[in-house]
Amino acid sequence: MTTAPKYSQVVRQLEEMILAGRLGLGERIPPERELLPMFDASYMTLRRALNELTERGVIVRMGAKGSFLSPEALRLVGIKKVNFIYSTWEGPFFA
């Protein structure tokens, strides 16, 4: 069994928090120093995960003001989850 890289695990956990409503759209996400113990990750791992989410448009970084969930975050994360479910679906209609 292959384990996903730690940064991918952090991305997935953040996406789950967004889908569960624990992080609200347009809301400021906690600073990196507060996120580190939540994910038991190194600074570089957390930065890589946040950079991936920023590149996908889920997070918007605003310099000294912090990082915020984009208004499109739920849609973007939800689409990724739906595509994953669809691509792994097996059944008589998807053969």
Side-chain angles (χ1 to χ4, degrees):
M1 180 174 146
T2 305
T3 303
K6 183 67 175 179
Y7 83 93
S8 294
Q9 295 173 28
V10 173
V11 167
R12 190 176 65 247
Q13 289 175 316
L14 284 165
E15 290 173 338
E16 289 170 3
M17 290 173 72
I18 293 166
L19 289 171
R22 292 178 27 210
L23 294 173
L25 301 180
E27 185 177 292
R28 183 172 186 252
I29 64 170
E32 293 170 1
R33 68 181 176 281
E34 291 179 26
L35 291 174
L36 285 171
M38 289 174 61
F39 298 108
D40 188 32
S42 71
Y43 176 76
M44 291 304 294
T45 298
L46 181 61
R47 289 292 297 220
R48 185 168 180 188
L50 293 174
N51 285 339
E52 181 174 317
L53 292 171
T54 301
E55 288 174 12
R56 289 185 17 216
V58 175
I59 292 174
V60 176
R61 293 188 175 179
M62 302 183 80
K65 292 183 180 184
S67 299
F68 297 81
L69 285 183
S70 76
E72 299 291 310
L74 187 58
R75 184 182 66 80
L76 292 168
V77 170
I79 287 172
K80 181 179 179 231
K81 295 292 183 184
V82 170
N83 286 340
F84 172 76
I85 291 168
Y86 179 77
S87 69
T88 60
W89 184 271
E90 293 180 15
F93 300 109
F94 298 98

